[in-house]
Amino acid sequence: MLRRELISEVANTIIDLQLHHPIRVAISGITASGKTTFANELAEELRRRKREVVRTSIDNFHNPRAIRYRQGKDSAIGYYEDAHDYQAFKEKLLIPLGENGDRQYQTVSLDLEKDAYVNPEQLLATDDTIFIVDGTFLFKKELIHLFDYKIFVQTDFELARKRGAKRETLAFESYESAEAMFINRYHAASSLYLKEHNPQDNADIVINNNDVGSPYFL
């Protein structure tokens, strides 16, 4: 299936959801699976249809460095357990958008570069707003019930590793260093996620993204 056709079908499904509060769409997948790109394209498709869309990510809700790296910068367990501030993510974004929420939300809790908490002015969502949220570990048991539609972007580890290492070569000063970080930290953590939370089984749809030009539903 051509990519634009698949994204159009997903957009159709989301628009057809009958809810009395904002729609919270989660897009998960292993690191470098292509979930962020997919989320961006889905958001743009919905905007073309004149829908109000907020595009955000759990990566705006990181823990500060002291917590994030307390088990070591290379630690897979550390990335899996300590990277994100799930409490802030729930309380400041997801819960207010739910059925009994007040619709007042914020899309960020930490300035990653400054390593400092932020408390921006709260925004007010309408019941028609669609939130597109991406993140590697979104279907953990403590989060999954707070989303209204769940998409898992499935990509083979080897392909994702190569894509991710190429993307992060500059950040890690070489392709080899970036690849090692994916193997030892990011994808080791992703393997724990798949084993403990079965995200594919808990998704509303699973999309094979090995061929980015021709993804397909599983």
Side-chain angles (χ1 to χ4, degrees):
M1 178 179 289
L2 292 176
R3 189 175 184 88
R4 64 177 179 273
E5 294 174 353
L6 183 142
I7 290 172
S8 180
E9 285 196 26
V10 176
N12 289 340
T13 301
I14 292 169
I15 288 172
D16 287 343
L17 293 174
Q18 300 295 315
L19 301 176
H20 299 290
H21 58 81
I23 299 173
R24 300 161 295 179
V25 178
I27 301 177
S28 186
I30 67 174
T31 309
S33 63
K35 58 189 176 296
T36 300
T37 299
F38 187 88
N40 290 339
E41 292 174 352
L42 178 60
E44 285 307 307
E45 175 65 22
L46 289 164
R47 289 183 181 124
R48 277 195 291 270
R49 302 184 189 201
K50 310 302 181 186
R51 301 305 299 261
E52 183 178 350
V53 177
V54 175
R55 173 72 182 91
T56 188
S57 173
I58 196 173
D59 287 337
N60 295 331
F61 293 86
H62 271 102
N63 277 314
R65 291 189 191 102
I67 297 175
R68 209 161 66 240
Y69 297 136
R70 61 186 172 188
Q71 300 189 64
K73 282 193 173 184
D74 298 333
S75 169
I77 292 290
Y79 182 58
Y80 183 59
E81 294 180 345
D82 300 330
H84 299 107
D85 184 345
Y86 294 120
Q87 198 62 33
F89 184 54
K90 290 188 290 185
E91 292 181 356
K92 298 179 184 297
L93 179 65
L94 299 181
I95 292 174
L97 303 175
E99 186 173 359
N100 298 313
D102 62 9
R103 310 295 187 266
Q104 296 186 64
Y105 70 95
Q106 63 186 66
T107 59
V108 60
S109 67
L110 185 86
D111 184 320
L112 196 61
E113 186 174 328
K114 295 180 179 178
D115 195 39
Y117 288 112
V118 295
N119 190 30
E121 183 178 349
Q122 289 186 321
L123 303 170
L124 184 64
T126 69
D127 286 354
D128 294 329
T129 307
I130 301 172
F131 285 75
I132 306 294
V133 187
D134 75 274
T136 299
F137 305 132
L138 291 187
F139 299 171
K140 281 187 171 183
K141 291 180 175 63
E142 60 263 45
L143 297 175
I144 194 168
H145 64 288
L146 296 173
F147 292 104
D148 306 298
Y149 195 71
K150 300 173 290 295
I151 301 168
F152 188 84
V153 178
Q154 181 170 300
T155 301
D156 292 347
F157 272 100
E158 182 179 2
L159 284 171
R161 184 182 75 245
K162 290 177 179 177
R163 291 175 192 168
K166 183 178 179 180
R167 182 186 72 198
E168 300 296 336
T169 292
L170 185 61
F172 290 100
E173 300 183 345
S174 73
Y175 178 91
E176 291 74 20
S177 296
E179 186 176 40
M181 183 62 75
F182 270 86
I183 292 170
N184 297 324
R185 180 170 167 85
Y186 301 136
H187 281 174
S190 294
S191 293
L192 290 171
Y193 173 57
L194 298 184
K195 181 179 179 181
E196 292 189 7
H197 295 277
N198 300 311
Q200 301 101 315
D201 294 338
N202 292 314
D204 292 293
I205 57 170
V206 178
I207 295 167
N208 184 290
N209 196 47
N210 284 341
D211 182 348
V212 296
S214 299
Y216 57 89
F217 297 110
L218 292 173

